[in-house]
Amino acid sequence: MNEPFAEEIATRIGRPLGEAPQVAHLAALMCTTSFVPFPLLRDVRAHALPHSTLALEASLCESDAVESIASDGFVLHPLVRSRLRHAFRETVLENGPAPGPPTLREAMAPGLEFLSPLLRLEERIVWTYVTTDDFLTAADEELALVVHSVVRQRRLRMLEWASGAMLRLPEDVLKGPSAWLLSQLCRAVGLPHPDLAWPEGDFDRAMVSEAMSLVPQTVVGIVRDGSRLTVGPVSPERRIGIRVPATTPVTVRVVWEGAPEGQELIGVDRAERTVASGRAAVELVGLDGRVVRLPHYDGDRPPEDLERSNLYDRLEEARQSRRILRAQVLSVSRGATGYVVRLLDEPSVHAFLPHTSAEFPRLSRVGLGALLNGAIHVRVDVVDRHSQAVVVRRVRSLLSRGTLVVGQRYRGQVVAKDIHGMLISLNEAAGVAQPEYEPLLGRLDTKHLLPLPGWQSALRSTRSYPVDVGDEIDVVVQSIGASNRQIRLRMVEPEEPPTRTRHGNVQVGDHVVGTVREKLYNGVRFELESFAPAPAPAPDRAPLAPGLTGLVLNTELSWEGRWFFGGGDAREYPVQEGDRSEMVVIGFHPVTGEVLASVKQLIPDPGETAVRQLRPGTETIGVVLGRRRPRWRVRLEPWSVMAVMTAGRGTESQLRHGVRVQLRIEAVDTIRRDIRASLLRIVETPPPTEDEESD
């Protein structure tokens, strides 16, 4: 042990750890990771303190520095961990590192492998912070990789880690643009996050622009008086509103001939900011890249002010005359109290359509997709010039079922999907066009979808079914309710062969090689290249047809249970565009004709081995999938092994989809793969989600 180094750390930490230099020294070496696996503690102690014993590890675990202990490691108290990092950093920067680096870092490597990839990334950031001067650049590069994965690969679950990590990381490493972006993304999805100031220095505007697609919009007001441009909260003085991302703080870049590179106006949602742009043409650029151009003017009144005044005059005239306007539904409003629509006769106006005034035919939030990009008729109810708010009311169209007949076969277009089924638009098939007629929306439940290899309606939801919004499918009408509000459908085989049925000599069971072309929620699409060398193809088989694609559903990516039973988002699967993989052909898509393949079937199901190893009395961890009265379906981690669990009455209210539980195996039938278990305790309860029963 390096006595001066240990004494220096103990002095900087103070009581109570300061009274035990060896314990303080060992705790400081553990401070870079938020969770300390016991193998890591053992390796570091043996390397940095070779003459110590296991008693030193026990002393650390029993000290006030440890907040909690689990079977595989422990967590340092947040306040102690922060003091340790500060003391370790000051000691290293002033006196040089503790004996061993870089060999100390090498000794830590095996123990760090027990952490998840994101916790290892977090540890690398903190290690750079405590051992180097220029830590901010390295930390920002690490966090930029997370932003890239969240934004471009839609791995939104990484934000759950980012939310906690930003509260654990040192404040000094959160001053870069990537940390600020992560905090805005966490805010957008309702996760806890620190309030970070606007980052200083240059940043990747392309990445920021892409990230803003996940951030809601807000409105700020502008006004020009001939000598300057003022941007701030909407008010009677700043009546013209522009939409910008609702970040904290809200920021707008202003470009004019006096500042061709642009000037950032920060915090315009809370206070007004001005620039001396005169009467010159001005561009206001939001963080999402959207540009608002204000032309040069010579008169007393800016042209945008005159146009806005005329616009609200026209809207007021439409309200008073009860004139019918055309509108297009854009999205669900924040809080799901209505819809945001664009007035097609006044394209610059985004109006609010309350649920109570929409009168859509039995549409939920999910059913909004049925009206996206479709025109409806509305009347203006409210025109508020002060807040620039416009509220409209939908005008009901004619009711007609056209040629729609029960038992008849039709081709419809998928307009929305949820976990229980799809909404199919039948207006075109029935010969009744919108918006003159009410939308004919048929409901296709999960149980009435065509079966697919790798997808089972009893275990999966419609969200993972490989038919997307915009696709056309063949259906049979089963029933039509009053006023066309309950149209039930059944999916049938297409009358004509799929347009992409160019399988050539590909057969079920073939091993093929492909390159990742696209990652979707329900699977990964590959560009198929050739037959795999093993098992060897027959000598007389021709090469694969060019342009052939194969879809590997998320159920077929891995034997790990989170993919098959847990509803794994295939966009989070650890492959990137351009990666190559071997796969097994398991079938063909009945609608699109695409090759359906499997990666997991390259190896035997390890769940079979897991079942054979289970014995009555074994304790294990599982994830609740749903309830089958009076029992619960549970997936045993980590494989796709199902069990039926009983729970006491006092715990039933706490059980729901996604809850991790510890249970005891009561009975195992290895032949039927029937496992019975009982609940011991609840391990972890995830936050509620919009789709509690998401597949």
Side-chain angles (χ1 to χ4, degrees), residues 171-219:
E171 293 183 2
D172 291 341
V173 305
L174 301 179
K175 296 181 178 179
S178 298
W180 182 83
L181 266 181
L182 282 176
S183 70
Q184 302 309 308
L185 294 175
C186 289
R187 178 174 180 266
V189 298
L191 291 172
H193 63 282
D195 292 327
L196 302 180
W198 175 256
E200 300 179 359
D202 297 331
F203 52 89
D204 186 349
R205 289 194 175 274
M207 178 61 73
V208 173
S209 178
E210 292 183 50
M212 291 302 107
S213 64
L214 303 175
V215 176
Q217 298 274 308
T218 188
V219 178

Side-chain angles (χ1 to χ4, degrees), residues 103-119:
T103 55
L104 173 61
R105 193 60 176 164
E106 295 171 356
M108 296 175 69
L112 292 174
E113 290 297 324
F114 286 88
L115 299 175
S116 67
L118 288 174
L119 287 181

Side-chain angles (χ1 to χ4, degrees), residues 18 33 35 40 94 129 150 158 205 243 279 291 364 382 412 428 483 508 540-541 660:
T33 179
F35 177 77
L40 175 62
E94 290 185 11
Y129 165 74
V150 171
M158 295 181 73
R205 289 194 175 274
R243 291 188 174 274
R279 296 175 177 266
V291 180
S364 64
V382 177
E428 185 175 351
S483 302
V508 173
D540 59 344
R541 298 186 70 174
R660 295 181 73 240

Side-chain angles (χ1 to χ4, degrees), residues 494 496-502 589-594:
E496 300 178 358
T499 57
R500 287 188 283 177
T501 310
R502 295 188 297 113
H589 198 304
V591 178
T592 65
E594 191 169 25

Side-chain angles (χ1 to χ4, degrees), residues 384-602:
D384 190 333
R385 294 174 183 261
H386 173 69
S387 62
Q388 300 190 54
V390 179
V391 181
V392 297
R393 174 181 299 275
R394 178 168 171 257
V395 178
R396 292 290 299 273
S397 302
L398 297 174
L399 284 174
S400 172
R401 66 178 62 179
T403 61
L404 214 60
V405 178
V406 174
Q408 188 65 37
R409 181 188 189 118
Y410 296 94
R411 171 154 288 193
Q413 185 180 52
V414 180
V415 291
K417 293 175 64 176
D418 62 14
I419 61 177
H420 301 297
M422 302 179 185
L423 285 175
I424 311 297
S425 174
L426 298 170
N427 280 79
E428 185 175 351
V432 287
Q434 290 182 261
E436 290 77 16
Y437 293 92
E438 285 290 291
L440 288 171
L441 301 172
R443 180 76 183 183
L444 177 59
D445 293 330
T446 304
K447 63 183 178 180
H448 291 140
L449 296 172
L450 288 177
L452 290 177
W455 187 91
Q456 302 176 43
S457 60
L459 299 175
R460 308 297 292 159
S461 83
T462 308
R463 285 189 66 198
S464 61
Y465 194 80
V467 169
D468 298 321
V469 172
D471 289 348
E472 292 186 346
I473 61 174
D474 289 351
V475 294
V476 168
V477 177
Q478 292 186 303
S479 64
I480 303 177
S483 302
N484 306 333
R485 288 182 176 232
Q486 285 282 1
I487 303 176
R488 295 292 178 179
L489 306 174
R490 174 173 53 85
M491 189 177 179
V492 295
E493 293 276 359
E495 291 181 328
E496 300 178 358
T499 57
R500 287 188 283 177
T501 310
R502 295 188 297 113
H503 307 144
N505 56 350
V506 177
Q507 302 173 8
V508 173
D510 284 342
H511 286 232
V512 293
V513 175
T515 301
V516 177
R517 191 177 81 175
E518 184 182 14
K519 298 177 70 175
L520 310 168
Y521 168 81
N522 54 17
V524 179
R525 180 165 284 116
F526 288 81
E527 192 81 34
L528 301 185
E529 302 171 357
S530 62
F531 289 103
D540 59 344
R541 298 186 70 174
L544 293 179
L548 193 64
T549 61
L551 179 64
V552 179
L553 297 177
N554 49 12
T555 60
E556 295 296 322
L557 288 169
S558 172
W559 288 113
E560 187 180 346
R562 66 161 292 204
W563 298 104
F564 191 80
F565 290 110
D569 187 339
R571 292 170 295 188
E572 298 182 2
Y573 191 73
V575 294
Q576 309 298 329
E577 292 186 15
D579 290 353
R580 299 176 74 246
S581 176
E582 182 180 347
M583 62 201 81
V584 181
V585 177
I586 60 174
F588 306 98
H589 198 304
V591 178
T592 65
E594 191 169 25
V595 174
L596 297 177
S598 172
V599 172
K600 74 179 185 182
Q601 293 188 26
L602 293 171

Side-chain angles (χ1 to χ4, degrees), residues 246-397:
T247 56
T248 306
V250 173
T251 302
V252 177
R253 184 162 57 98
V254 181
V255 181
W256 75 99
E257 61 183 13
E261 298 298 324
Q263 179 177 335
E264 300 284 357
L265 302 184
I266 302 171
V268 293
D269 57 326
R270 298 182 179 181
E272 64 176 36
R273 303 285 188 268
T274 62
V275 294
S277 59
R279 296 175 177 266
V282 174
E283 291 185 350
L284 296 102
V285 186
L287 292 178
D288 56 356
R290 191 175 302 175
V291 180
V292 176
R293 294 179 173 86
L294 306 179
H296 175 87
Y297 76 99
D298 297 318
D300 296 333
R301 196 173 182 184
E304 66 271 10
D305 192 14
L306 182 61
E307 171 58 28
R308 180 61 56 167
S309 178
N310 293 337
L311 169 64
Y312 281 95
D313 288 342
R314 294 194 297 270
L315 291 174
E316 183 63 29
E317 183 276 329
R319 185 190 69 81
Q320 294 178 0
S321 64
R322 298 183 57 77
R323 179 157 49 94
I324 295 178
L325 305 174
R326 295 178 305 143
Q328 180 185 37
V329 180
L330 298 180
S331 62
V332 177
S333 66
R334 296 190 68 184
T337 57
Y339 306 103
V340 177
V341 302
R342 175 189 290 120
L343 301 183
L344 298 181
D345 301 302
E346 299 287 355
S348 63
V349 177
H350 287 191
F352 176 65
L353 173 61
H355 273 308
T356 54
S357 303
E359 298 185 5
F360 289 143
R362 299 183 66 86
L363 286 185
S364 64
R365 291 182 60 191
V366 176
L368 168 70
L371 295 173
L372 290 176
N373 302 319
I376 60 174
H377 287 155
V378 298
R379 285 195 180 98
V380 178
D381 266 1
V382 177
V383 178
D384 190 333
R385 294 174 183 261
H386 173 69
S387 62
Q388 300 190 54
V390 179
V391 181
V392 297
R393 174 181 299 275
R394 178 168 171 257
V395 178
R396 292 290 299 273
S397 302

